[in-house]
Amino acid sequence: MKQHGFTLLETMVVVSILAILVAVAGPNLSIWLDNIRIRNAADAIQEGLQTARAEAIKRNQNITFWLVSSNDENQLDDGCELSSTSGSWVVSVTNPQSQCGSSPSTVSAPRMVSSRGVGDSGAKVNVNALQSDDSTAATSVAFNGFGRVVNTAPIARLDITGVNSAVTYRNLRIAITPAGQIRMCDPNVSSASDPRKCEECWSS
């Protein structure tokens, strides 16, 4: 009975073709994965902001969204610091600095509502939180019982971008108005008819 299989030449041709495909698709695959990380981090931050606002309205008290850095990207601990460039966040009544490992509580400081490490959603991204002047760093935004922003020098904009400045990523922005509205948009979109465009009233 005649046996069928691949010859050495056929195998070499297939391996060569696969090597070429990997070489061509490799960089694009890396950018695609980075864009997913950007989207995941932006979604997680937006979720935290919406949680803070919803809880403020529900409880009829001021609730604050804080950006924090931690030694562990996946799990926040009590070594955390406030940071305008971290994707990790805490929603609480009082400042959670050095208390980010606390359990949710309505009594014990910092009266934690919720928290999330950036590693849960999208590590390897750059986060930059700014005040309404688009240049001064900010670390928190507080909402009152009406859902409006009430703290001094609040976060008005968060830019979530890729780590390589030489690459064109699908960067995202989250903007917060004084009325407490929260919107995600694409700063690279320029068409006025595109709903992804960052409007001036949101981004400044």
Side-chain angles (χ1 to χ4, degrees):
M1 183 176 179
K2 188 177 180 179
Q3 293 189 2
H4 298 279
F6 294 107
T7 66
L8 179 60
L9 179 60
E10 289 171 332
T11 303
M12 290 178 65
V13 169
V14 171
V15 170
S16 298
I17 291 172
L18 287 174
I20 292 171
L21 289 175
V22 169
V24 171
N28 290 331
L29 179 61
S30 177
I31 294 172
W32 179 73
L33 291 172
D34 285 342
N35 284 334
I36 289 176
R37 293 187 182 101
I38 291 169
R39 182 69 195 207
N40 287 344
D43 283 341
I45 291 171
Q46 185 177 46
E47 176 191 335
L49 288 163
Q50 291 171 338
T51 296
R53 187 171 188 266
E55 284 294 317
I57 295 171
K58 176 183 174 181
R59 301 184 186 194
N60 193 28
Q61 71 175 131
N62 291 358
I63 301 289
T64 304
F65 170 92
W66 314 79
L67 286 178
V68 297
S69 62
S70 179
N71 295 323
D72 187 343
E73 290 183 334
N74 295 294
Q75 184 175 356
L76 297 178
D77 55 36
D78 287 344
C80 67
E81 299 286 341
L82 299 184
S83 171
S84 64
T85 58
S86 173
S88 299
W89 52 263
V90 168
V91 173
S92 62
V93 177
T94 60
N95 189 332
Q97 185 169 335
S98 300
Q99 297 177 301
C100 296
S102 301
S103 300
S105 172
T106 58
V107 179
S108 303
R111 295 161 72 184
M112 182 86 69
V113 176
S114 183
S115 65
R116 189 163 188 172
V118 69
D120 293 344
S121 52
K124 299 180 182 178
V125 300
N126 289 333
V127 175
N128 189 26
L130 300 171
Q131 296 178 30
S132 58
D133 63 3
D134 288 343
S135 61
T136 306
T139 58
S140 67
V141 55
F143 302 93
N144 65 11
F146 295 102
R148 297 184 63 86
V149 174
V150 291
N151 61 315
T152 303
I155 297 172
R157 164 182 146 190
L158 294 111
D159 289 321
I160 301 94
T161 61
V163 295
N164 188 346
S165 60
V167 174
T168 301
Y169 294 107
R170 175 80 184 277
N171 295 324
L172 293 170
R173 175 176 295 165
I174 299 172
I176 308 137
T177 68
Q181 293 173 295
I182 301 161
R183 177 175 180 252
M184 188 186 301
C185 61
D186 186 336
N188 294 323
V189 171
S190 58
S191 174
S193 62
D194 193 322
R196 298 173 300 162
K197 184 179 186 295
C198 294
E199 302 294 341
E200 288 300 319
C201 61
W202 286 89
S203 60
S204 61

